[in-house]
Amino acid sequence: MIICSCTVMTRDQLSATVRALLAEDPQMIVTPGRAFHRLGLRMQCARCATLVNEKIAEEVRRPRPDTPPPRP
């Protein structure tokens, strides 16, 4: 699925990028700008910004096998 039609960024590319950024620093705040920069892209018209933010949030909330579960 294409997330950004200006740059032809796909959902899979965005998810992989968010996972890579979080692998480097699990406490990182992943922003659309950071994700675009990592992919070597630049946001152009910004119509995709809301969708990109939603997909980043979904990926950040996804459980990671390398992190311990939260304490009660």
Side-chain angles (χ1 to χ4, degrees):
M1 171 183 181
I2 293 179
I3 299 290
C4 174
S5 58
C6 295
T7 62
V8 193
M9 178 175 54
T10 66
R11 179 178 53 196
D12 292 340
Q13 286 176 309
L14 180 59
S15 293
T17 300
V18 172
R19 285 191 305 270
L21 289 167
L22 291 173
E24 290 173 15
D25 180 1
Q27 300 301 313
M28 178 183 291
I29 296 173
V30 181
T31 63
R34 202 171 259 156
F36 272 84
H37 180 74
R38 172 56 72 93
L39 287 166
L41 304 172
R42 292 185 68 174
M43 191 178 286
Q44 295 175 21
C45 72
R47 280 184 253 167
C48 64
T50 301
L51 184 56
V52 170
N53 272 320
E54 289 172 6
K55 297 303 173 190
I56 288 172
E58 285 175 13
E59 194 62 42
V60 168
R61 286 191 296 263
R62 183 167 289 145
R64 310 248 174 268
D66 57 341
T67 57
R71 293 182 183 177

